[in-house]
Each structure stands twice: as structure tokens, then as C-alpha cells.
Amino acid sequence: MLKVPDFTLPELEYIKKNGNLTPREAEVLELRNQEYPPTIENIAEMWGCSPSTVSKTIGSLKKKIIRLL
């Protein structure tokens, strides 16, 4: 399973530049790369949506990251 904090700063910059990310995917990438990343439930609360919406966004982000690697 890919964990965003496992990436180095140059790798994250590469993903942001070449991943064709949506604004929400880019935001999740930033949020999940923090030292103490928020939970899916916390992100859902910030966005005003359901946790399943956040999970779908994370799934979409993971697919794009895998394509880049």
C-alpha cells in the first residue's frame, strides 16, 4: 500500500507537476504529507463531504501515482 509520507520532497514535486491532479487530489497529497496527517474523517469534515468521497479521491490519487511510477 502506498503511503504519501513515504515519498521524498523531489518525488512529491514530480507527482504534483506530472500527475495531472485535480485540485482535491493535490490538496489530499499536501494534507497527507504532513508530519501528523489528518484522518479521512477530518478531511471530510474540512471539505464538507462524506468520508467515502475522500476515500474515492485518495483512490484516484493512488492510481495516478502508480501510473507515474
Side-chain angles (χ1 to χ4, degrees), residues 4-64:
V4 172
D6 290 341
F7 293 111
T8 64
L9 187 57
E11 290 169 334
L12 288 170
E13 291 302 319
Y14 178 80
I15 291 167
K16 285 190 261 183
K17 182 179 177 185
N18 300 300
N20 194 26
L21 305 179
T22 66
R24 281 206 166 170
E25 290 167 344
E27 185 176 356
V28 166
L29 187 64
E30 290 293 326
L31 290 170
R32 299 296 292 167
N33 193 47
Q34 296 175 357
E35 185 175 350
Y36 299 104
T39 64
I40 290 173
E41 290 78 15
N42 294 135
I43 295 171
E45 189 175 317
M46 287 188 313
W47 287 357
C49 64
S50 71
S52 65
T53 300
V54 176
S55 293
K56 288 177 189 174
T57 303
I58 291 171
S60 161
L61 174 61
K62 286 180 181 180
K63 287 179 186 176
K64 289 181 179 183

